[in-house]
Amino acid sequence: MPGENDSGSAPGPYIKRHFAKVAIIGAAVAVVAGVGTFAALRGTADQRTVEVTQAAPAQVHIDTAHPFAGTPAEGWADGESGVIAPAAAAIGKFTKQQVTDAYTKVRQAVITSRLDRTVLEKHDVEKYLKLLARDSQKNMRPVFGNDPHEAHAYATRLATGYTLLPAAPKVSGKMWAEVGTRPGELVVHTNYVFAYAFNSDKAEQLTDVMDIVAVDRWDTDYSVLTGQYAASSLGIWPVRSQGFTYSMGCEALREGYLAPAFSEQHAKAATESTTRDRTRYFDPASTLPANSTCDS
């Protein structure tokens, strides 16, 4: 679920605080494969949140042309230039060309599912689904139609009424491949953090740059099938995805959509939360947070 920023005051001297929350979402996917078929049994998504507190100025000027200034994402690559596949090499029985092809397909899936504005703002998930193996499409399409919350583990869509600033989202992370457990299976692991900067018509209410910047971290594995499987099963399958969203609106994320923290602002005493270092939520290598809830 989402997060929110709040300003509050502790007893005695009034101290402005910036509150944000982190939602952890995991979609466990058990994969069953046989000759001629490849079916995925999706697990339920599990959400947990941890509240984060950061000292923030009473007033802040946000440069909408450079909205990530002052955040850990400021120096990251812009958009798809941050989704970089490693130099391919033969892995097990897979040739260098097969590994290259797998990286190319998975890279495009990451870009489309997390950075394509027609997916983000117009919810055109078919652009993502058509990149998957045909049989995987059959399994995943109902998720986007019937379970938007679980769908957020595979593609990011903005809540209705919210759009991004022209500045490209910032991206940091990596991907790598290894031989899978089934014949003809190569597994490509992806580990990326995406920072999105939202438009806001409430500039006078913003107290921290994280009011408009939301962060998604996703560790998603793709199974790439080759060889003996039916033609409809050849290609890429998302088989596991877990991650979290930081500094966002809780209500939107409960429905499977991303909204900025300024979408939910509630007064809260600064003493209600434990101060944590926000930079950890921008680190692709950090441990996933756990054991909390996204309070209303």
Side-chain angles (χ1 to χ4, degrees), residues 275-294:
T275 301
R276 296 175 184 268
D277 180 7
R278 72 166 52 144
T279 60
R280 62 182 290 205
Y281 301 106
F282 289 80
D283 181 1
S286 66
T287 302
L288 295 177
N291 301 324
S292 186
T293 59
C294 194

Side-chain angles (χ1 to χ4, degrees), residues 17-18 20 22 49-55 246 273-281 289-292:
R17 296 284 184 180
H18 176 79
V22 178
T49 64
V50 56
E51 193 169 79
V52 181
T53 310
Q54 275 291 338
Y246 167 61
S273 300
T274 301
T275 301
R276 296 175 184 268
D277 180 7
R278 72 166 52 144
T279 60
R280 62 182 290 205
Y281 301 106
N291 301 324
S292 186

Side-chain angles (χ1 to χ4, degrees), residues 142-197:
V143 174
F144 289 97
N146 304 323
D147 191 352
H149 171 65
E150 183 180 342
H152 186 63
Y154 297 101
T156 300
R157 294 171 295 171
L158 308 188
T160 300
Y162 295 96
T163 59
L164 298 181
L165 288 167
K170 293 288 189 176
V171 183
S172 178
K174 63 180 180 179
M175 71 173 67
W176 67 99
E178 63 181 3
V179 175
T181 59
R182 285 164 284 275
E185 180 190 38
L186 188 69
V187 177
V188 178
H189 305 280
T190 69
N191 163 226
Y192 288 97
V193 178
F194 307 89
Y196 305 93

Side-chain angles (χ1 to χ4, degrees), residues 12-179:
Y14 286 90
I15 303 173
K16 289 284 187 177
R17 296 284 184 180
H18 176 79
F19 290 84
K21 289 183 180 177
V22 178
I24 293 78
I25 302 174
V29 181
V31 181
V32 181
V35 176
T37 64
F38 192 79
L41 175 64
R42 296 179 303 278
T44 58
D46 173 38
Q47 295 194 68
R48 302 180 303 280
T49 64
V50 56
E51 193 169 79
V52 181
T53 310
Q54 275 291 338
Q59 297 179 342
V60 63
H61 170 71
I62 298 174
D63 182 354
T64 56
H66 303 91
F68 301 101
T71 75
E74 182 175 6
W76 291 1
D78 293 328
E80 63 183 74
S81 64
V83 184
I84 302 173
I91 300 176
K93 295 182 179 180
F94 292 93
T95 66
K96 177 180 178 180
Q97 186 58 53
Q98 287 176 309
V99 175
T100 297
D101 291 344
Y103 281 147
T104 299
K105 292 175 180 178
V106 171
R107 178 178 182 270
Q108 188 57 56
V110 172
I111 291 169
T112 302
S113 63
R114 303 298 179 188
L115 298 170
D116 190 309
R117 295 207 179 208
T118 59
V119 176
L120 287 163
E121 297 181 350
K122 298 181 180 180
H123 303 176
D124 182 8
V125 296
E126 287 298 322
K127 291 194 69 173
Y128 169 64
L129 292 173
K130 73 179 183 180
L131 300 174
L132 309 180
R134 294 201 303 276
D135 288 340
S136 180
Q137 293 179 35
K138 294 176 183 177
N139 286 319
M140 292 300 298
R141 190 168 282 110
V143 174
F144 289 97
N146 304 323
D147 191 352
H149 171 65
E150 183 180 342
H152 186 63
Y154 297 101
T156 300
R157 294 171 295 171
L158 308 188
T160 300
Y162 295 96
T163 59
L164 298 181
L165 288 167
K170 293 288 189 176
V171 183
S172 178
K174 63 180 180 179
M175 71 173 67
W176 67 99
E178 63 181 3
V179 175

